[in-house]
Amino acid sequence: SQTTILCFFFQAEDGIRDAQESRGLGDVYKRQEYMGDINFNQKINSMAQLVSKIEEEVKELNNLQKEIKQFVEGRQTLIQQESESVLVKKEIDLLEADATIYKNIGGVLIKQSLSEVKQNVDKRIEFITGELKKISALINNNEQKQGTIRENINKIQEAYMREMQKQAQQKK
């Protein structure tokens, strides 16, 4: 009789690992909705205020773009991890019930039951799927915020142009 031993190596001891190392995303989750309501009909006394408002909006837009880039990179990592986990699940499903499976924990191979391994892989896939949904929602939310900020920038630029025209007419 011939014995086949398959070893699957996970990145974390419990078989589930966060999608990324911590980047302080708690601040992102706590971020309040952008409250950039500006009364554009209200008279702004100086061009400097308009320029300052545009600079603030552009800075916020740049920050959102950086966050989206990080989220997209995280999503790509999650997609790769999900794909790997699905392949592992397919391989595990091919094993016979009495197969011997070992897990690498801290450089030591620990024997595990087939049912335990299947459970861990299923949990990992479920976790990754949940994280993919969360990160996709964050990307969509930031894209919507970007649209709002772009609209605000356009309104401020229009107000700036009107103010420039008023000043030009006053000089005549």
Side-chain angles (χ1 to χ4, degrees):
S1 89
Q2 187 177 12
T3 304
T4 303
I5 299 176
L6 291 174
C7 296
F8 298 99
F9 299 95
F10 290 97
Q11 295 178 348
E13 287 187 11
D14 61 358
I16 298 176
R17 180 182 166 105
D18 289 341
Q20 297 175 337
E21 293 181 22
S22 175
R23 294 178 287 135
L25 287 180
D27 292 339
V28 173
Y29 292 109
K30 293 177 193 172
R31 178 186 295 275
Q32 295 178 355
E33 284 296 314
Y34 173 72
M35 301 303 278
D37 288 340
I38 299 172
N39 184 354
F40 292 101
N41 298 328
Q42 169 187 21
K43 182 170 178 150
I44 298 177
N45 294 329
S46 74
M47 300 295 281
Q49 287 176 325
L50 288 172
V51 171
S52 174
K53 289 284 186 193
I54 289 174
E55 288 172 352
E56 288 173 22
E57 296 288 325
V58 168
K59 184 177 178 182
E60 181 67 19
L61 184 64
N62 288 337
N63 288 338
L64 286 173
Q65 288 171 340
K66 287 177 187 175
E67 286 179 3
I68 288 174
K69 181 182 177 194
Q70 290 175 338
F71 292 149
V72 168
E73 290 169 358
R75 182 173 60 187
Q76 289 170 339
T77 300
L78 286 169
I79 289 169
Q80 180 182 3
Q81 289 176 349
E82 182 182 44
S83 175
E84 291 169 356
S85 296
V86 167
L87 288 174
V88 168
K89 181 173 175 42
K90 287 179 183 178
E91 288 295 321
I92 290 172
D93 288 342
L94 297 174
L95 296 175
E96 295 177 16
D98 62 343
T100 304
I101 302 172
Y102 294 92
K103 181 177 181 179
N104 183 2
I105 300 177
V108 177
L109 293 176
I110 306 294
K111 188 175 181 177
Q112 286 191 310
S113 69
L114 181 60
S115 63
E116 185 180 356
V117 171
K118 285 182 178 182
Q119 226 175 13
N120 283 343
V121 172
D122 288 341
K123 284 181 185 177
R124 180 175 173 83
I125 292 170
E126 183 181 325
F127 171 78
I128 292 170
T129 301
E131 291 299 304
L132 278 168
K133 288 178 183 176
K134 287 179 194 175
I135 208 160
S136 292
L138 287 170
I139 290 169
N140 289 338
N141 186 32
N142 277 13
E143 286 173 346
Q144 289 174 355
K145 286 180 184 180
Q146 276 186 333
T148 301
I149 291 172
R150 285 187 180 112
E151 289 174 13
N152 286 344
I153 290 172
N154 287 337
K155 289 177 183 178
I156 295 169
Q157 287 174 334
E158 288 171 9
Y160 182 83
M161 293 304 291
R162 284 193 302 270
E163 191 64 33
M164 291 282 290
Q165 289 172 350
K166 284 181 189 176
Q167 287 183 4
Q169 288 176 354
Q170 290 175 353
K171 289 181 181 180
K172 289 183 182 180

